[in-house]
Amino acid sequence: MATMLMAPSCSRTAQKAAPDDDFNYHVDRFADIEVLRYKVPDFDSLTLNQKILVYYLTEAAIWGRDILWDQNNASNLDMRDLLEAVYTNYSGDRNDADYKAFETYVKQVWFGNGIHHHYSTDKFVPEFSRAFLEEQIMALPEGTAPDNTAELVELIFNPTLDAKRVNQAEGADLIATSANNMYEKGVTQKEVEDYFNSIKKPNDLTPISYGLNSRIRKENGKIVEDRYRLGGLYTEAIEHIVANLDSAKAYAENPAQKQIIESLINFYTTGDLADFDKYSIEWAEDTASQVDFINGFIESYGDPLGMTGSWESIVNFKNIPASERTEILSSNAQWFENNSPVDARFKKEKVKGVSAKVITAAILAGDAYPATPIGINLPNANWIRAAHGSKSVTLENITQAYDAASHGDGFNEEFVIDQPTRELLDNYLFITDNLHTDLHECLGHGSGKLLPGVDPDALKAHGSTIEEARADLFALYYLADPKLLEIGLLDNPDAYKAEYYKYILNGMMTQLMRIEPGKDVEEAHMRNRKLIAEWCYEKGKDANVIELVKRDGKTFIQINDYQALRGLFGELLAEIQRIRSTGDYDAAQNLVETYAVKVDPELHKEVLDRYATLSIAPYKGFVNPVYTAERDANGKITDVKVSYTEGYPEQMLRYSRDYNGLKKH
Ligand code: ZN
């Protein structure tokens, strides 16, 4: 599972910029997108062997790019050829309105890894004329345009063709109405479901991840799976991935890591999903290596049926000092459990902290590029997680880049009540926000227990909202605890106030910018934040704990009593844990319906209007650094250098030119 940061500036409003930080995080801005750059701090502190290992793994990562493009839509690779040909051959006026709209469109397609938006999965709408594009195509050098150019042009301008990449509207045939290329056109949802039902073993306690690495088509009226593997579908790209994995293997940090790489190569060779499970188990159990990576068909959000994995890769290495933070929390897990404000009946006698590690991303690729998750929790197979553990990681150099880039975007000046509070956020929000995530992930979700006989699914549709609220409240309650100073994770007893202020501001106001006018709050994390903030506002009303202050027609949050707010977080945590432990569906529903769903239309409009004046891009993504291997006269790598100067179109064009294994013509 991946943790996405949808609109960074609302969940992280500020950070303390490093004093010597003249790194330029901003790369490009178009449509609803901002492209940023991230640093890879401490790359130079890796050993030469580790650097070479990272280098080959990053090559293996970039080689998978075209697989994802083709999975997203059958026309994507040809479309990219056509658009890039026009883009690079254009010799007209660059201020021409049609050209500017065309340039935006090309940048959007690069960002979406195809013709659909990465998040909404709707097809991009061109704002240049068809005549403009046709004129440019006519002017292309002989043999540059793909053979199916006429169809591609029609696909751009006909809104009814391949309108949505992943359709999840209830009642529709999800396969027939989705434009991805994981299923051949003409295959129906029912045929696919019948097929998988017929091959699934009943009562299988260790099921393979059915459909993860295949494209479905029909042959003589029967469903068949074409596997993504060496010698099978996408073999031209997979050959390059495997060759680089093979080179990486020689530089593995230890025998276990070497074995993991061998198992992954074996899976790419056989395409057998039992081999994928073997690889996943070895990967989950390796906690000793500093360098780590995922590479393959992992997350299934791109398939409306949630089975086929979209190709992705992230190469990373452990941030050792930052990981100490989560290790300290995990080693104190029992103390936190014993001292929480919940009823003793609902506490775990023996609690085990999840050892989440903090990592530095070295490259983002496939479905993790340019838009990327900030956290990953894998493997996805539940039985492997239960029996062999899982890895939960935070990509701290990515969150750091989001934070640094949002610095000075005007958000705090617009929404934070006064200068002292803004200073508090500048000084302590980055560290307390990270600690909040650590407490939530390492301790919050793992705390507490169900009473005997309580159905874990008793809270039904409200289950995830209540579960997220439980983990958030656990984190909020302990952020203000002197224990964090005692174990050395905070150095100021007032630091927690930064996270408290941001949490209430976000929960009551600023997260509303992601909701369209007239709509309710639906997403579980957003409901949870609203539930907590609104509940505390209401329960603290008599004591004036949280106040809504009006100034020049604008609403501001003022927190008058932070310690009382901590008391309210503790009270709500006790109640939420009771609801979860006893499976009290009615109480869950009542809390959610009272505090988490309905939006005050006046406040909503105000937030949207104020936000609109800031011109902050709703979606962000990244260009990668460039790794260059320096070689001696015999071709042996003597060092790997990292640079941060490549621009967004330059990187996209270079990847298309140098890593185009699947090109058909
Ligand atoms: Zn959570």
Side-chain angles (χ1 to χ4, degrees):
M1 284 157 273
T3 311
M4 302 300 291
L5 185 59
M6 247 68 85
S9 36
C10 84
S11 56
R12 290 166 182 268
T13 49
Q15 76 125 35
K16 190 178 187 177
D20 60 341
D21 202 349
D22 54 6
F23 188 83
N24 188 6
Y25 293 93
H26 302 274
V27 177
D28 211 337
R29 176 78 170 83
F30 50 89
D32 55 355
I33 302 291
E34 181 171 19
V35 180
L36 305 172
R37 194 189 299 287
Y38 61 95
K39 280 195 274 199
V40 188
D42 298 326
F43 180 74
D44 289 328
S45 72
L46 298 177
T47 65
L48 178 59
N49 269 11
Q50 286 177 317
K51 285 187 199 175
I52 299 175
L53 172 64
V54 167
Y55 173 76
Y56 283 121
L57 293 174
T58 62
E59 289 290 303
I62 306 170
W63 270 111
R65 177 180 184 237
D66 285 6
I67 296 177
L68 178 76
W69 279 68
D70 192 70
Q71 284 183 301
N72 281 348
N73 185 270
S75 299
N76 273 339
L77 289 171
D78 288 338
M79 184 68 86
R80 192 178 76 196
D81 282 350
L82 177 67
L83 296 174
E84 289 181 354
V86 170
Y87 181 82
T88 52
N89 283 288
Y90 183 75
S91 59
D93 178 5
R94 292 189 183 268
N95 288 316
D96 177 71
D98 266 327
Y99 175 75
K100 285 178 103 65
F102 172 76
E103 187 183 32
T104 296
Y105 182 81
V106 178
K107 288 180 175 182
Q108 287 178 294
V109 171
W110 280 328
F111 199 92
N113 292 295
I115 55 176
H116 300 93
H117 192 279
H118 73 285
Y119 187 68
S120 74
T121 82
D122 293 326
K123 195 167 70 166
F124 294 119
V125 179
E127 291 183 11
F128 50 94
S129 70
R130 191 168 182 147
F132 168 84
L133 181 61
E134 283 168 347
E135 199 179 306
Q136 300 308 317
I137 292 169
M138 292 290 284
L140 285 176
E142 191 72 32
T144 316
D147 300 339
N148 55 346
T149 291
E151 289 151 47
L152 295 172
V153 173
E154 180 65 15
L155 180 56
I156 294 174
F157 289 98
N158 183 340
T160 64
L161 293 176
D162 288 0
K164 203 167 179 68
R165 177 161 59 82
V166 185
N167 182 30
Q168 293 194 291
E170 212 151 322
D173 182 317
L174 301 184
I175 290 180
T177 56
S178 294
N180 68 63
N181 188 28
M182 292 160 172
Y183 302 89
E184 186 183 59
K185 284 211 165 116
V187 173
T188 68
Q189 182 177 351
K190 181 164 187 319
E191 287 168 332
V192 173
E193 285 170 347
D194 288 349
Y195 165 75
F196 281 106
N197 286 335
S198 76
I199 62 168
K200 281 184 186 169
K201 292 186 225 150
N203 307 320
D204 185 357
L205 295 178
T206 59
I208 56 167
S209 302
Y210 288 96
L212 187 73
N213 65 334
S214 58
R215 181 173 185 270
I216 303 282
R217 69 183 164 87
K218 261 199 294 200
E219 195 174 279
N220 303 325
K222 277 178 67 179
I223 293 288
V224 288
E225 291 183 71
D226 287 333
R227 296 223 181 264
Y228 309 144
R229 62 173 176 82
L230 273 185
L233 198 50
Y234 301 143
T235 187
E236 302 90 338
I238 291 173
E239 283 160 26
H240 289 283
I241 295 170
V242 166
N244 280 289
L245 290 175
D246 205 48
S247 300
K249 201 174 72 178
Y251 298 91
E253 293 173 86
N254 52 57
Q257 189 175 50
K258 188 167 180 231
Q259 176 60 50
I260 291 167
I261 299 174
E262 270 170 15
S263 294
L264 179 58
I265 292 174
N266 181 52
F267 170 57
Y268 273 128
T269 307
T270 65
D272 182 340
L273 286 164
D275 290 332
F276 178 68
D277 288 344
K278 177 175 180 294
Y279 153 76
S280 298
I281 290 168
E282 290 166 1
W283 180 82
E285 288 180 342
D286 172 29
T287 50
S289 307
Q290 188 185 0
V291 175
D292 202 354
F293 70 103
I294 54 171
N295 178 304
F297 306 97
I298 315 273
E299 306 284 9
S300 54
Y301 307 110
D303 173 0
L305 299 188
M307 295 194 297
T308 304
S310 298
W311 196 92
E312 71 171 320
S313 182
I314 295 178
V315 181
N316 64 82
F317 54 93
K318 188 172 176 181
N319 177 335
I320 292 168
S323 296
E324 269 167 27
R325 216 171 55 208
T326 58
E327 280 151 20
I328 290 172
L329 287 179
S330 285
S331 63
N332 284 283
Q334 194 67 51
W335 184 91
F336 286 101
E337 183 75 359
N338 294 347
N339 288 278
S340 88
V342 315
D343 191 314
R345 290 182 299 146
F346 309 139
K347 290 186 186 181
K348 275 196 181 119
E349 293 77 21
K350 256 197 153 10
V351 60
K352 199 174 164 292
V354 175
S355 201
K357 68 177 172 167
V358 177
I359 61 170
T360 300
I363 204 136
L364 311 167
D367 206 25
Y369 167 86
T372 194
I374 55 161
I376 318 168
N377 194 325
L378 291 171
N380 279 332
N382 281 320
W383 67 268
I384 297 181
R385 299 167 69 83
H388 303 277
S390 60
K391 287 193 219 171
S392 173
V393 302
T394 310
L395 288 75
E396 190 146 303
N397 61 327
I398 298 298
T399 62
Q400 189 273 338
Y402 277 131
D403 289 328
S406 71
H407 199 74
D409 63 9
F411 185 93
N412 285 0
E413 288 68 19
E414 180 59 44
F415 288 106
V416 176
I417 186 161
D418 53 25
Q419 188 56 25
T421 310
R422 283 194 286 272
E423 269 168 32
L424 181 73
L425 298 184
D426 278 346
N427 288 328
Y428 288 104
L429 188 57
F430 184 62
I431 177 64
T432 54
D433 218 6
N434 281 330
L435 264 177
H436 179 270
T437 306
D438 297 339
L439 284 161
H440 175 117
E441 299 288 350
C442 299
L443 302 177
H445 281 304
S447 74
K449 65 170 184 193
L450 300 186
L451 289 186
V454 171
D455 176 2
D457 296 324
L459 304 181
K460 295 176 214 158
H462 303 305
S464 28
T465 300
I466 294 297
E467 178 56 22
E468 290 309 319
R470 202 172 70 85
D472 263 0
L473 286 162
F474 197 93
L476 289 165
Y477 177 77
Y478 276 119
L479 261 183
D481 200 287
K483 182 79 177 174
L484 295 190
L485 282 87
E486 190 191 299
I487 58 181
L489 295 180
L490 284 176
D491 64 2
N492 182 329
D494 290 327
Y496 75 93
K497 294 177 181 173
E499 179 70 13
Y500 275 27
Y501 187 86
K502 186 220 73 173
Y503 197 94
I504 299 295
L505 171 65
N506 187 44
M508 289 186 77
M509 289 179 58
T510 49
Q511 69 167 349
L512 297 179
M513 78 197 181
R514 287 198 240 158
I515 306 284
E516 284 174 41
K519 294 251 167 82
D520 290 340
V521 177
E522 285 176 2
E523 200 272 329
H525 291 83
M526 292 182 68
R527 282 189 169 184
N528 135 51
R529 292 173 194 138
K530 188 167 182 302
L531 191 166
I532 292 174
E534 300 274 358
W535 188 93
C536 291
Y537 173 67
E538 175 119 343
K539 299 291 164 183
K541 227 171 188 172
D542 292 344
N544 207 18
V545 177
I546 301 168
E547 198 176 339
L548 291 180
V549 177
K550 281 268 186 195
R551 265 188 218 154
D552 306 328
K554 290 180 178 181
T555 311
F556 292 91
I557 301 283
Q558 179 167 302
I559 297 179
N560 294 314
D561 189 341
Y562 281 94
Q563 273 302 319
L565 180 55
R566 186 193 185 206
L568 291 169
F569 286 146
E571 225 178 281
L572 184 56
L573 173 59
E575 171 62 3
I576 293 269
Q577 183 63 57
R578 184 197 66 75
I579 289 173
R580 174 98 178 98
S581 291
T582 60
D584 188 344
Y585 176 82
D586 291 343
Q589 185 182 36
N590 186 34
L591 271 183
V592 171
E593 283 181 355
T594 312
Y595 298 105
V597 180
K598 287 285 167 226
V599 180
D600 169 2
E602 230 168 273
L603 184 63
H604 190 189
K605 183 177 182 315
E606 181 196 320
V607 169
L608 290 175
D609 289 348
R610 288 166 70 184
Y611 194 76
T613 64
L614 301 176
S615 85
I616 297 173
Y619 302 98
K620 294 184 169 74
F622 295 88
V623 292
N624 284 312
V626 180
Y627 295 89
T628 312
E630 298 185 344
R631 295 171 192 269
D632 65 16
N634 303 319
K636 200 168 168 306
I637 299 179
T638 55
D639 201 3
V640 179
K641 289 274 158 53
V642 54
S643 76
Y644 304 103
T645 51
E646 194 167 37
Y648 175 64
E650 291 74 18
Q651 182 155 96
M652 289 296 173
L653 291 169
R654 181 171 65 87
Y655 284 180
S656 300
R657 186 188 68 224
D658 295 347
Y659 300 87
N660 60 357
L662 295 186
K663 209 163 256 185
K664 288 165 197 145
H665 53 88

